[in-house]
Amino acid sequence: MTEPTPIRRALISVSDKTGLIELGQALSQRGVELLSTGGSAKAMREAGLAVKDVSEVTGFPEMMDGRVKTLHPMVHGGLLALRDNADHVAAMEEHGIGPIDLLVVNLYPFEATVAAGADYETCIENIDIGGPAMIRAAAKNHGDVTVIVDVEDYDKLLGDMDKHNGGTCSKFRKRRAQIAYARTAAYDAAVSNWMAEAVGYETPRRRAVAGTVKQTLRYGENSHQKAVFYTDGSNRPGVATAVQLQGKELSYNNINDTDAAFELVAEFDPADGPACAIIKHANPCGVAVGATLAEAYQKAFDCDRTSAFGGIVALNQPLDADTASKIVEIFTEVVIAPGASEDAKEIFAGKKNLRLLLTEALPDPRQPIMAYKQVAGGMLIQDKDVGHVGRDDLKVVTKKAPSDAEMADLLFAWKVAKHVKSNAIVYVRDGATVGVGAGQMSRLDSANVAAAKAERMAAELGMDESPAKGCAVASDAFFPFADGLLEAAAAGGKCVIQPGGSMRDNEVIAAADEAGLAMVFTGMRHFRH
């Protein structure tokens, strides 16, 4: 088809009627004939627009509660016919099929229906059939037909038409065709993934993944990498749904670290008191609870003041002025919290580069969701680690049992260890980390790193001895040998929490008894890679 392709006849059928009347009026003013269905036709007609019902074109009424209305050759022939193909043109003339030059469709709100917790039958009824069929037909024939599936493209459509004397250019149509196919793919992904869960199919033969662009990033993990931030529509509280009140645009690493920070701090129920997590490169520099949010922040900051510089701060309660005043004392990249006081916002306003993200809630640390990891030639999919243990789940395996205070620190350390890169060793005392050993190739090395961090903390705070003296120790996986355990004991550890399950558990338990340690097994591992 020669450029531009004129638009003389449009079919509009939308569930989301945002901007519908304005679009209909604009098209009508440009001499475009309007075809429509159901509620879309009714809305435009009530606005005074001349609209022809699709049923007038097909000769068939809408039937079966609207399940069948556009699945007809008079519609699909008008969308799929190649205008420069003589046989197609002859077939159109023979059967009285009029060309449809523009299709504007957005689909039944299936994703929103599922998110609202609707029952199985209601979800099924909100699966659009005719819409995707028309969208795919129009997109396939983008040489002749323009297809619009997003409200945000209405103005772009009208702008392109004005540039091309009432038509659209090939570049515009190709771009909208890609957007259209991506929309139907995402829609089908939502349906198939919901159905897999609804019917209890844990390992479906095919798994579709889809997302919507939230932000095109300046670059990725490194400056030579391109990156884009997509949302998955789940509306899980966090960086994807947060409102940014101030600060520079989030970077790839900001987003990754902020997610890690908020997911960690969510392990601590705000009803149990304030908690703070400070993250750097997706690992915690410090985590603490306190009588106040400001105290929790200070204790978390004190764990590793060096690493906290340029870090991400996550809070489990709304940011208050006292805490804000402490945070602005050093350079911080991002603060994320479930709300903030006006006084806190005013304090942050003086730090224009500090990014403040606010959410309406904390993510549920026990909500079952999927986790994805790309590998060469494929992808690994697993349940997100929502494992949780309470005091009653622990098994005391040593002669000595932990005290109540030690048990509280052990459970605190276990929550933190879940969010530390493996191999992970975490030292905790009085509701605060005092040493974190992350991402080492041996558990012994992680114990050494955590001890060194504790020694640095003592030096920075002018303490007489390492804060690891008398600490609780958490290991994300079992000790394969006693050496890592003994290294933690040498650093000052007095009680230990670990999964157990090693072939040498008896040796490790004996070593713990000889060192006078109390040790509990969780029966659950928290590897994190």
Side-chain angles (χ1 to χ4, degrees):
M1 196 76 177
T2 57
E3 292 287 358
T5 299
I7 293 178
R8 302 188 181 95
R9 198 166 183 241
L11 195 165
I12 304 175
S13 180
V14 294
S15 290
D16 178 0
K17 295 177 176 54
T18 303
L20 169 63
I21 303 307
E22 293 81 3
L23 176 65
Q25 291 170 338
L27 292 174
S28 182
Q29 291 166 4
R30 289 163 173 78
V32 179
E33 179 187 3
L34 303 179
L35 312 180
S36 192
T37 63
S40 299
K42 182 174 182 291
M44 288 192 288
R45 196 171 285 122
E46 288 176 350
L49 292 167
V51 182
K52 180 180 288 187
D53 283 314
V54 165
S55 59
E56 295 180 52
V57 176
T58 64
F60 278 84
E62 294 184 15
M63 62 183 70
M64 302 176 186
D65 299 319
R67 283 189 170 202
V68 179
K69 50 191 173 185
T70 59
L71 297 169
H72 193 282
M74 297 297 287
V75 173
H76 285 268
L79 292 170
L80 284 166
L82 297 173
R83 285 22 169 203
D84 57 358
N85 183 303
D87 291 338
H88 287 204
V89 173
M92 292 174 73
E93 292 175 352
E94 180 182 354
H95 298 287
I97 298 172
I100 298 173
D101 308 307
L102 169 65
L103 177 73
V104 180
V105 170
N106 57 57
L107 304 174
Y108 290 176
F110 175 81
E111 297 98 331
T113 302
V114 172
D119 59 31
Y120 185 89
E121 289 73 19
T122 302
C123 291
I124 290 293
E125 285 306 311
N126 275 275
I127 299 174
D128 203 325
I129 302 302
M134 289 192 293
I135 289 171
R136 290 175 60 82
K140 178 175 181 175
N141 199 23
H142 61 265
D144 294 305
V145 180
T146 304
V147 56
I148 302 293
V149 297
D150 293 319
V151 173
E152 65 197 75
D153 285 340
Y154 290 178
D155 287 342
K156 295 174 185 175
L157 164 69
L158 298 173
D160 202 66
M161 289 177 68
D162 290 342
K163 287 180 184 177
H164 298 96
N165 195 30
T168 56
C169 69
S170 176
K171 181 179 179 180
F172 181 84
R173 293 194 304 277
K174 287 179 179 178
R175 184 68 178 271
R176 295 326 116 179
Q178 187 281 324
I179 292 171
Y181 279 126
R183 177 62 187 117
T184 58
Y187 195 78
D188 286 340
V191 173
S192 66
N193 290 333
W194 165 80
M195 182 160 274
E197 182 177 347
V199 303
Y201 195 178
E202 293 185 354
T203 56
R205 183 177 300 166
R206 294 180 178 85
R207 173 72 72 175
V209 180
T212 302
V213 172
K214 179 179 177 67
Q215 180 184 342
T216 299
L217 305 171
R218 285 193 300 135
Y219 53 82
E221 201 163 8
N222 300 292
S223 60
H224 61 277
Q225 295 173 267
K226 295 180 180 178
V228 181
F229 182 27
Y230 287 86
T231 58
D232 63 10
S234 66
N235 291 321
R236 182 176 176 84
V239 66
T241 55
V243 175
Q244 183 173 346
L245 263 62
Q246 65 169 63
K248 296 185 295 184
E249 185 178 77
L250 291 168
S251 71
Y252 179 100
N253 293 323
N254 290 154
I255 292 168
N256 188 56
D257 287 352
T258 302
D259 178 69
F262 208 47
E263 290 289 331
L264 192 166
V265 85
E267 298 279 355
F268 299 93
D269 189 337
D272 295 332
C276 173
I278 304 176
I279 296 289
K280 195 77 165 287
H281 297 298
N283 276 308
C285 312
V287 184
V289 294
T292 65
L293 206 56
E295 181 187 5
Y297 169 78
Q298 188 64 54
K299 290 166 68 177
F301 174 66
D302 286 343
C303 177
D304 189 350
R305 292 183 170 186
T306 300
S307 298
F309 184 85
I312 310 294
V313 174
L315 307 171
N316 74 336
Q317 294 182 357
L319 175 68
D320 57 35
D322 288 344
T323 310
S325 295
K326 287 182 174 292
I327 291 173
V328 297
E329 290 176 0
I330 69 158
F331 171 60
T332 299
E333 288 274 6
V334 180
V335 175
I336 183 168
S341 71
E342 291 304 316
D343 288 342
K345 293 176 187 177
E346 186 175 341
I347 291 168
F348 271 25
K351 298 285 186 179
K352 64 179 183 179
N353 289 331
L354 172 57
R355 304 163 179 90
L356 175 59
L357 304 182
L358 300 183
T359 68
E360 295 183 356
L362 293 171
D364 181 355
R366 302 191 199 181
Q367 179 186 0
I369 58 177
M370 305 303 294
Y372 303 84
K373 183 178 179 63
Q374 185 176 3
V375 297
M379 113 181 113
L380 294 169
I381 302 177
Q382 65 174 349
D383 296 329
K384 181 181 173 65
D385 183 0
V386 296
H388 171 83
V389 297
R391 183 165 183 163
D392 293 341
D393 300 311
L394 303 179
K395 179 182 179 182
V396 179
V397 295
T398 48
K399 295 175 183 177
K400 183 180 179 181
S403 67
D404 288 344
E406 288 172 337
M407 188 64 80
D409 274 350
L410 287 172
L411 289 170
F412 178 98
W414 185 247
K415 289 179 179 179
V416 176
K418 174 182 173 182
H419 293 266
V420 178
K421 299 290 186 181
S422 300
N423 289 303
I425 296 290
V426 178
Y427 298 160
V428 166
R429 198 174 80 181
D430 299 329
T433 55
V434 295
V436 179
Q440 300 303 303
M441 285 64 75
S442 79
R443 208 152 293 280
L444 175 62
D445 287 343
S446 291
N448 281 326
V449 169
K453 292 279 189 179
E455 292 287 354
R456 180 189 294 173
M457 177 180 174
E460 289 179 339
L461 299 183
M463 302 170 73
D464 293 333
E465 63 178 4
S466 167
K469 299 298 181 183
C471 75
V473 179
S475 175
D476 65 333
F478 62 65
F479 288 99
F481 302 97
D483 55 357
L485 176 84
L486 295 175
E487 184 66 27
K494 290 300 181 184
C495 53
V496 178
I497 185 169
Q498 60 134 321
S502 168
M503 293 176 60
R504 295 182 176 84
D505 271 351
N506 289 336
E507 295 176 23
V508 174
I509 293 170
D513 282 332
E514 186 175 346
L517 301 176
M519 185 162 67
V520 296
F521 282 1
T522 65
M524 177 184 293
R525 187 179 73 186
H526 280 313
F527 269 166
R528 186 177 182 87
H529 297 104

